[in-house]
Coordinates of all heavy atoms in Angstrom, one line a residue:
N232 N -3.2 -1.1 12.9 CA -2.5 -2.3 13.3 C -2.1 -3.2 12.1 O -1.9 -4.4 12.3 CB -3.3 -3.1 14.3 CG -4.7 -3.5 13.8 OD1 -5.2 -2.9 12.8 ND2 -5.3 -4.4 14.5
A233 N -2.1 -2.7 10.9 CA -1.7 -3.5 9.7 C -0.3 -3.9 9.8 O 0.6 -3.2 10.3 CB -2.0 -2.6 8.5
R234 N 0.0 -5.1 9.3 CA 1.3 -5.7 9.3 C 2.3 -4.9 8.4 O 3.5 -5.0 8.5 CB 1.3 -7.2 8.8 CG 0.7 -8.1 9.9 CD 0.8 -9.5 9.5 NE 0.1 -9.8 8.2 CZ -1.1 -10.3 8.2 NH1 -1.7 -10.6 9.3 NH2 -1.7 -10.6 7.0
V235 N 1.7 -4.2 7.4 CA 2.6 -3.5 6.4 C 3.2 -2.2 6.9 O 4.0 -1.6 6.3 CB 1.9 -3.3 5.1 CG1 1.5 -4.6 4.4 CG2 0.6 -2.4 5.3
I236 N 2.6 -1.7 8.0 CA 3.1 -0.4 8.5 C 4.6 -0.5 8.8 O 5.1 -1.4 9.5 CB 2.3 0.0 9.8 CG1 0.9 0.3 9.4 CG2 2.9 1.2 10.4 CD1 -0.1 0.6 10.5
G237 N 5.3 0.5 8.4 CA 6.8 0.6 8.6 C 7.6 -0.1 7.5 O 8.8 -0.1 7.6
R238 N 6.9 -0.8 6.6 CA 7.6 -1.5 5.5 C 7.6 -0.7 4.3 O 6.7 0.0 4.0 CB 6.9 -2.9 5.3 CG 7.0 -3.8 6.5 CD 6.4 -5.1 6.3 NE 7.0 -5.8 5.2 CZ 6.4 -6.9 4.7 NH1 5.2 -7.3 5.1 NH2 7.0 -7.5 3.7
S239 N 8.7 -0.8 3.5 CA 8.8 -0.1 2.2 C 8.0 -0.9 1.2 O 7.9 -2.2 1.3 CB 10.2 0.1 1.8 OG 10.8 -1.2 1.6
I240 N 7.6 -0.2 0.1 CA 6.8 -0.9 -0.9 C 7.6 -2.0 -1.6 O 7.1 -3.1 -1.9 CB 6.4 0.2 -2.0 CG1 5.3 1.1 -1.4 CG2 5.9 -0.5 -3.3 CD1 4.9 2.2 -2.3
R241 N 8.9 -1.8 -1.7 CA 9.7 -2.9 -2.4 C 9.8 -4.1 -1.6 O 10.1 -5.2 -2.1 CB 11.1 -2.3 -2.6 CG 12.0 -2.3 -1.4 CD 13.5 -1.9 -1.8 NE 13.9 -0.8 -1.0 CZ 14.3 0.3 -1.5 NH1 14.4 0.5 -2.8 NH2 14.6 1.3 -0.7
D242 N 9.5 -4.1 -0.2 CA 9.5 -5.2 0.6 C 8.1 -5.9 0.8 O 8.0 -6.9 1.4 CB 10.0 -4.9 2.0 CG 11.5 -4.4 1.9 OD1 12.2 -4.9 1.1 OD2 11.8 -3.6 2.8
L243 N 7.1 -5.4 0.1 CA 5.8 -5.9 0.2 C 5.6 -7.0 -0.9 O 6.2 -6.9 -2.0 CB 4.7 -4.8 0.0 CG 4.7 -3.7 1.0 CD1 3.6 -2.7 0.7 CD2 4.6 -4.3 2.4
D244 N 4.6 -7.9 -0.7 CA 4.4 -8.9 -1.6 C 3.2 -8.6 -2.5 O 2.1 -9.2 -2.4 CB 4.1 -10.3 -0.9 CG 4.1 -11.4 -1.8 OD1 4.6 -11.4 -2.9 OD2 3.4 -12.5 -1.4
V245 N 3.4 -7.5 -3.2 CA 2.3 -7.0 -4.2 C 2.3 -7.9 -5.4 O 3.3 -8.2 -6.0 CB 2.6 -5.5 -4.6 CG1 1.5 -5.0 -5.5 CG2 2.6 -4.6 -3.4
P246 N 1.1 -8.4 -5.8 CA 1.0 -9.2 -7.0 C 1.7 -8.5 -8.2 O 1.6 -7.3 -8.3 CB -0.5 -9.4 -7.2 CG -1.1 -9.1 -5.9 CD -0.2 -8.1 -5.2
E247 N 2.3 -9.3 -9.0 CA 3.0 -8.8 -10.2 C 2.2 -8.0 -11.1 O 2.6 -7.0 -11.7 CB 3.7 -9.9 -10.9 CG 4.6 -9.5 -12.1 CD 5.4 -10.6 -12.7 OE1 5.8 -11.5 -12.0 OE2 5.5 -10.6 -13.9
E248 N 0.8 -8.3 -11.2 CA -0.1 -7.7 -12.1 C -0.6 -6.4 -11.5 O -1.4 -5.7 -12.2 CB -1.2 -8.6 -12.5 CG -0.8 -9.9 -13.0 CD -0.5 -10.9 -11.9 OE1 -1.0 -10.8 -10.8 OE2 0.2 -11.9 -12.1
C249 N -0.3 -6.1 -10.3 CA -0.9 -4.9 -9.6 C 0.2 -3.9 -9.3 O 1.4 -4.2 -9.1 CB -1.5 -5.4 -8.3 SG -2.3 -4.2 -7.3
E250 N -0.2 -2.6 -9.4 CA 0.7 -1.5 -9.1 C 0.1 -0.7 -8.0 O -1.1 -0.4 -8.1 CB 1.0 -0.6 -10.3 CG 1.8 -1.3 -11.4 CD 3.2 -1.6 -11.1 OE1 3.8 -0.8 -10.3 OE2 3.8 -2.5 -11.6
I251 N 0.9 -0.2 -7.1 CA 0.4 0.8 -6.2 C 0.6 2.2 -7.0 O 1.7 2.6 -7.3 CB 1.3 0.8 -4.9 CG1 1.0 -0.5 -4.1 CG2 0.9 2.0 -4.0 CD1 1.7 -0.7 -2.8
A252 N -0.5 2.8 -7.3 CA -0.5 3.9 -8.2 C -0.4 5.2 -7.4 O 0.1 6.2 -8.0 CB -1.8 3.9 -9.0
A253 N -0.9 5.3 -6.2 CA -0.9 6.6 -5.4 C -1.1 6.3 -4.0 O -1.6 5.3 -3.6 CB -2.0 7.5 -5.9
I254 N -0.5 7.2 -3.2 CA -0.8 7.2 -1.7 C -1.2 8.6 -1.4 O -0.5 9.6 -1.8 CB 0.5 6.7 -1.0 CG1 0.9 5.3 -1.3 CG2 0.3 6.9 0.6 CD1 2.2 4.9 -0.7

Side-chain angles (χ1 to χ4, degrees):
N232 58 343
R234 289 188 296 264
V235 296
I236 292 173
R238 295 179 60 195
S239 63
I240 291 173
R241 77 172 128 238
D242 295 331
L243 300 179
D244 192 23
V245 178
E247 187 173 319
E248 307 83 25
C249 182
E250 292 290 332
I251 295 178
I254 297 173

